[in-house]
Amino acid sequence: MTEIDARSVRITLGSSLPEPDESTRRMITSGRSSLAFILGDEACRYRLLAKSINWDRILIAYRDCTTVGYAAFKHHRRGPFSPGIGPFLHEFGRFRGALRYLLFAITEYREWYYGFYLYGLHVIKHARHQGIASALLEATFDQARLAGHDRVELEVHSKNQRARRLYTRQGFIQARTTPLNWLGRLLPFPAVISMRRSLAPLPGTARK
Ligand SMILES: CC(C)(COP(=O)(O)OP(=O)(O)OC[C@H]1O[C@@H](n2cnc3c(N)ncnc32)[C@H](O)[C@@H]1OP(=O)(O)O)[C@@H](O)C(=O)NCCC(=O)NCCS
């Protein structure tokens, strides 16, 4: 279990909590807004994804039992969500549901290019500027090292200056500016920047 104490905020792997509550599920499924053309609005994303969260791929930051942020990550072909096609068919009907599911699977598949990938990072508004995202990133680095990876990679919208500053301060460097290649030309994705950060191994651990 990863656990960090930073100014009364605790960070824990979701799989080590008994049963994360509905508001935590809502926060986690509210991400991926850039995929709204596939996954619909926030309420729709909740219906599609909330029952298929892989809690061992989510770090939760909480203060006084309230969730204040999360980091989601992917490695070894497992990310934070594993939805079946069922919820998509139920939500959008047979044809549109199957098409949207296929598109979602393609976007998920594309990210397997990365070894350890930061899939999402979010801190609720009133808890920002207190170092919570920075602490979540530190905990994410620990997860990557434990999984045998020597770098963490991510994609950030080029216009998201706040997040870009955070990542740069946390040691990420810009790797590529146009990682979406053919997919970006086919689908309405925003421009993203690919960043990576190298990690020193934990003492006494071997690389996989
Ligand atoms: C981007 C985001 C995750 C940052 O979360 P955060 O918890 O505010 O991040 P931090 O507190 O670690 O750092 C943010 C700023 O607060 C400052 N800060 C950190 N601890 C502080 C403290 N104790 N007191 C005052 N300021 C502090 C940092 O220096 C940083 O300043 P900067 O913006 O000038 O660089 C948050 O704004 C968010 O959820 N945004 C929406 C989702 C998003 O964009 N996610 C990224 C997707 S790639």
Side-chain angles (χ1 to χ4, degrees):
M1 182 173 88
T2 299
E3 192 149 306
I4 291 175
D5 285 315
R7 273 160 275 141
S8 78
V9 171
R10 292 164 66 81
I11 296 180
T12 305
L13 204 56
S15 52
S16 66
L17 294 172
E19 180 61 30
D21 59 13
E22 193 199 317
S23 67
T24 303
R25 289 172 194 273
R26 284 199 182 275
M27 187 188 300
I28 291 164
T29 57
S30 71
R32 298 266 119 171
S33 56
S34 60
L35 294 186
F37 66 100
I38 300 173
L39 298 174
D41 62 12
E42 220 174 289
C44 187
R45 294 200 288 282
Y46 176 79
R47 291 194 294 276
L48 293 175
L49 303 173
K51 288 188 182 144
S52 64
I53 297 173
N54 296 321
W55 293 103
D56 58 340
R57 295 298 190 259
I58 310 274
L59 283 161
I60 299 173
Y62 59 100
R63 179 187 281 143
D64 303 329
C65 301
T66 302
T67 302
V68 290
Y70 76 89
F73 51 88
K74 259 182 171 180
H75 64 90
H76 292 99
R77 299 202 166 267
R78 184 173 162 89
F81 305 116
S82 300
I85 195 170
F88 285 73
L89 301 183
H90 185 259
E91 187 71 32
F92 302 112
R94 272 177 79 175
F95 178 73
R96 287 184 184 177
L99 183 63
R100 285 181 187 239
Y101 182 74
L102 179 68
L103 289 172
F104 178 64
I106 290 172
T107 62
E108 290 283 301
Y109 179 78
R110 186 187 64 82
E111 290 162 356
W112 296 130
Y113 167 86
Y114 297 109
F116 190 103
Y117 179 69
L118 181 70
Y119 187 98
L121 178 71
H122 184 89
V123 173
I124 59 172
K125 279 189 180 154
H126 75 257
R128 289 180 188 167
H129 301 284
Q130 297 168 29
I132 295 173
S134 304
L136 279 163
L137 285 173
E138 290 291 343
T140 303
F141 300 158
D142 287 347
Q143 290 297 315
R145 290 187 189 99
L146 285 170
H149 290 273
D150 60 6
R151 66 166 62 167
V152 172
E153 293 170 280
L154 61 84
E155 288 174 1
V156 57
H157 295 186
S158 56
K159 290 184 180 163
N160 192 343
Q161 296 295 344
R162 194 182 307 166
R164 286 176 63 182
R165 265 202 316 274
L166 170 73
Y167 295 138
T168 303
R169 197 162 17 82
Q170 285 292 321
F172 284 86
I173 55 166
Q174 193 166 319
R176 287 176 299 148
T177 46
T178 52
L180 288 172
N181 50 55
W182 59 273
L183 199 59
R185 278 178 229 122
L186 285 178
L187 299 169
F189 284 109
V192 294
I193 290 171
S194 178
M195 302 183 87
R196 67 161 182 265
R197 186 199 193 276
S198 299
L199 302 172
L202 289 174
T205 56
R207 298 272 187 232
K208 279 183 191 167

